[in-house]
Amino acid sequence: GEAKDGQLVVAVIIVSPDRGRPPIGKVLVVLGDQLTASKVVEMAIHGHNLPHEFNDAVLREANAIPVDVQNSEIQGRVDLRQMPLVTIDGEDAKDFDDAVYCETNSKGFRLVVAIADVSHYVQPGSALDDEAQLRGTSVYFPGFVVPMLPERISIDLCSLKEGEDRPALACHITINAEGHKRSHHFTRAVIRVAAGLAYEQAQAIVDGR
């Protein structure tokens, strides 16, 4: 193609190496002249054949989902919006998947762990579901992620943002004074995170600072 000697490229081997002769390849993508961190990520994506672009059908489905949770979507869910759940994540986190709340009672503790209800938005047999099954998981690189779902869902609709209503799956756990779990049950809920905390903030609270 347009590749020049010394450049980094992604190539497919079309003739295997033989005695006295290296393999012969066809250049698919020219990455550039220097090996930078972003180029290493590109090499990994191409080298492992990671799906990294969403097709139009997937993006259309994601963009058609309303941002605000409708009243009809709340019906049948346990309303936990008054519970002061908090998220605890790294300073540079973009998506907030889970939130927690704990209180003491006469038997020990009541713990509630809520996670974003992705199944509320991704229906079986949809283009979003097919793409998510194809990818299997998000793939994280330093400073970059190849997401399993479009950012409209992963960073917006399924991110438990402070002060915003979100569909969630909640696990209600009873723990005794010695820290042993006694029971648990699950509910589909609607939540409203009271505070988005960084690890350092949460630790400062635990330490009494």
Side-chain angles (χ1 to χ4, degrees):
E2 300 298 321
K4 298 176 183 178
D5 188 29
Q7 286 185 318
L8 296 165
V9 301
V10 176
V12 59
I13 304 301
I14 56 176
V15 179
S16 299
D18 202 348
R19 185 175 302 174
R21 180 184 53 73
I24 298 173
K26 179 181 179 182
V27 174
L28 300 179
V29 180
V30 178
L31 296 177
D33 298 316
Q34 295 182 339
L35 185 62
T36 62
S38 62
K39 292 290 187 273
V40 172
V41 170
E42 283 190 64
M43 289 168 64
I45 289 173
H46 288 290
H48 294 281
N49 199 28
L50 298 178
H52 60 286
E53 294 179 344
F54 292 104
N55 62 46
D56 291 342
V58 171
L59 293 176
R60 276 197 303 271
E61 281 190 4
N63 292 330
I65 302 172
V67 175
D68 297 325
V69 178
Q70 309 299 310
N71 287 332
S72 59
E73 299 175 89
I74 296 173
Q75 294 175 5
R77 291 180 176 268
V78 177
D79 192 341
L80 301 179
R81 286 177 291 182
Q82 299 306 311
M83 179 178 286
L85 289 145
V86 298
T87 58
I88 307 175
D89 293 275
E91 287 276 7
D92 59 349
K94 292 184 178 180
D95 54 339
F96 309 98
D97 305 309
D98 44 69
V100 295
Y101 171 75
C102 191
E103 65 182 5
T104 58
N105 56 34
S106 60
K107 297 180 181 179
F109 305 92
R110 175 197 181 197
L111 171 65
V112 178
V113 180
I115 65 170
D117 188 357
V118 182
S119 65
H120 180 75
Y121 299 106
V122 181
Q123 299 298 313
S126 64
L128 283 165
D129 185 44
D130 291 343
E131 185 70 16
Q133 290 196 54
L134 173 67
R135 296 184 179 220
T137 182
S138 297
V139 181
Y140 291 87
F141 297 97
F144 184 77
V145 60
V146 179
M148 183 175 67
L149 293 165
E151 290 189 358
R152 164 78 165 179
I153 294 178
S154 61
I155 294 181
D156 192 358
L157 299 174
C158 284
S159 188
L160 305 181
K161 297 180 179 180
E162 182 178 320
E164 297 189 14
D165 294 352
R166 289 289 186 265
L169 296 174
C171 185
H172 306 255
I173 308 167
T174 300
I175 301 173
N176 67 15
E178 287 72 43
H180 299 294
K181 189 193 78 169
R182 288 307 182 198
S183 65
H184 73 273
H185 68 278
F186 294 90
T187 61
R188 290 191 182 274
V190 57
I191 68 170
R192 183 183 298 153
V193 167
L197 304 178
Y199 290 121
E200 294 79 7
Q201 290 175 295
Q203 190 62 53
I205 294 169
V206 172
D207 294 341
R209 295 184 284 112

